[in-house]
Amino acid sequence: MTEGEFFCPLGRKVVDFSDEPEFSQISMFLSGREWLDEKDKVVQFASNFMPKTYCLDHLGNWVGGIEPPSDEQNGATEAPWFVKEADKNLGGDAIDICSKPSEIMKLVKPNRRYVVQQHVRDPLLTDDGKKTHLKFYVLLVCDQDGVSWTLYTYKSPLLSISPNPWSPNDLSKETQITIHRHPVPPWETEGWKQHWPGTYEKCKQGTLDVIQSAVAEGRLKGRPGKKQFEVFSADWMPDTNGKMWLFEFNMSPAVCQQEFDNVAGRDARRHTLMTHDETMLRDALSTVLPWEGGTAPGLWDMAGEFTGPK
């Protein structure tokens, strides 16, 4: 065994990279990743990009004494409210919806942390009135010096589009929580493609600003002596005024999903999404760990390079 190589227990093979950080020269998990993944943590440095967010601790107390408005306050009942478990990303299963602030506490379970947000007032809808948001893919790399960071964003994000026309009075998850990815690129999606110009750059810059803050504040940390990287996604929603709203990061994004495993059972949608995901992940790995014949960077766009604290 040479310097910089590790034995992996699986067949005792010598590997340069493994998905188990202990046996890999490169870690595929960021140190401090929980600060992006958990909703009550990310809001501490990303609040400028997020809807007004109220945090509820595990004892049922509003963090900082800041609680949602009363039903009588202006605008409090004009759009639905989302009650989200802070440390879970379960494809909408950890989110409940209510119509007014006075109903929030009825949805809260004991000994769990939550964030509460009101729906964006003027969401940008498709031409046929459906709610949508962008699954914006991110590759973050920190060199083995522990301080040199590079952020990439993927030039082919995907839309998630509700199956139903949006209404603030419809509290169904099918209408309000858009989780299923649309296989057609945003710039080709009929009824939405006219909004694409400028959208990518806004998401790219917003993601860079948030990630830089996380590094500068010591939330994300380098691993001196070991290179690290991670592919994840950010959920961005545009409104009719041209502002982009960040809802969350998904450190376990829905890519190469289990439903795609059966090749014979894939329809055209699943095949397109699987091809998108395979290409994206292969090019990410080729960017981090180049090999002869690799395709890096593919559609990975360098968004910024910056230095974190030592």
Side-chain angles (χ1 to χ4, degrees):
M1 185 169 69
T2 61
E3 183 179 357
E5 294 179 322
F6 300 83
F7 277 109
C8 179
L10 182 61
R12 294 191 62 79
K13 296 176 186 267
V14 176
V15 296
D16 295 311
F17 170 71
S18 166
D19 61 359
E20 174 50 63
E22 184 177 351
F23 303 105
S24 178
Q25 188 174 3
I26 299 175
S27 174
M28 64 176 288
F29 299 104
L30 297 172
S31 177
R33 65 196 301 271
E34 68 274 8
W35 283 94
L36 297 179
D37 202 35
E38 298 182 18
K39 301 174 184 66
D40 56 350
K41 291 183 176 178
V42 70
V43 72
Q44 295 181 40
F45 52 87
S47 60
N48 289 343
F49 295 93
M50 302 176 73
K52 177 66 176 177
T53 302
Y54 305 89
C55 299
L56 197 65
D57 67 20
H58 70 288
L59 297 176
N61 300 314
W62 293 105
V63 175
I66 302 173
E67 57 185 273
S70 66
D71 293 353
E72 291 71 32
Q73 285 188 244
N74 186 39
T77 59
E78 291 181 2
W81 289 81
F82 296 91
V83 183
K84 309 176 184 180
E85 290 195 54
D87 59 350
K88 290 184 173 63
N89 283 303
L90 302 173
D93 289 341
I95 302 175
D96 287 304
I97 309 165
C98 59
S99 62
K100 50 190 176 181
S102 62
E103 297 172 340
I104 291 170
M105 296 306 295
K106 299 174 185 176
L107 302 176
V108 171
K109 300 178 179 66
N111 300 314
R112 300 188 188 182
R113 295 162 23 230
Y114 290 87
V115 297
V116 175
Q117 298 166 329
Q118 190 174 26
H119 196 289
V120 169
R121 295 293 179 86
D122 300 302
L124 183 64
L125 308 176
T126 61
D127 285 353
D128 55 357
K130 295 177 180 177
K131 175 180 173 178
T132 185
H133 77 269
L134 280 159
K135 286 287 184 186
F136 197 74
Y137 297 100
V138 182
L139 166 62
L140 182 59
V141 184
C142 183
D143 287 344
Q144 62 183 11
D145 64 6
V147 297
S148 299
W149 297 78
T150 306
L151 178 75
Y152 300 86
T153 54
Y154 201 58
K155 291 182 180 179
S156 184
L158 295 173
L159 291 169
S160 291
I161 304 175
S162 168
N164 305 324
W166 185 76
S167 165
N169 300 315
D170 182 350
L171 301 184
S172 68
K173 288 192 174 185
E174 292 78 10
T175 297
Q176 299 295 349
I177 302 174
T178 50
I179 60 173
H180 297 295
R181 299 182 299 162
H182 186 60
V184 180
W187 57 89
E188 295 179 4
T189 298
E190 293 298 330
W192 201 91
K193 62 184 180 181
Q194 68 272 25
H195 305 303
W196 177 247
T199 297
Y200 172 77
E201 289 298 329
K202 288 179 182 178
C203 292
K204 173 182 172 181
Q205 186 60 52
T207 302
L208 175 61
D209 290 346
V210 172
I211 297 299
Q212 281 186 303
S213 294
V215 171
E217 295 180 17
R219 314 297 191 182
L220 294 175
K221 302 177 183 292
R223 299 178 189 265
K226 178 175 282 193
K227 190 174 187 177
Q228 62 175 339
F229 77 99
E230 193 154 352
V231 175
F232 51 99
S233 67
D235 288 348
W236 288 97
M237 175 185 282
D239 67 18
T240 57
N241 301 308
K243 180 175 174 59
M244 301 298 302
W245 296 94
L246 174 68
F247 290 103
E248 63 185 22
F249 288 102
N250 294 293
M251 304 308 287
S252 299
V255 296
C256 295
Q257 293 155 282
Q258 188 173 1
E259 63 174 306
F260 302 160
D261 289 347
N262 180 7
V263 177
R266 291 182 201 161
D267 56 15
R269 171 184 170 273
R270 290 181 173 87
H271 176 75
T272 299
L273 291 173
M274 188 65 172
T275 300
H276 170 278
D277 296 346
E278 288 177 336
T279 301
M280 178 178 69
L281 295 175
R282 182 180 61 247
D283 290 347
L285 189 57
S286 180
T287 299
V288 176
L289 187 65
W291 65 83
E292 185 177 352
T295 53
L299 294 179
W300 285 107
D301 179 19
M302 185 188 291
E305 295 179 292
F306 47 96
T307 301
K310 293 183 179 180

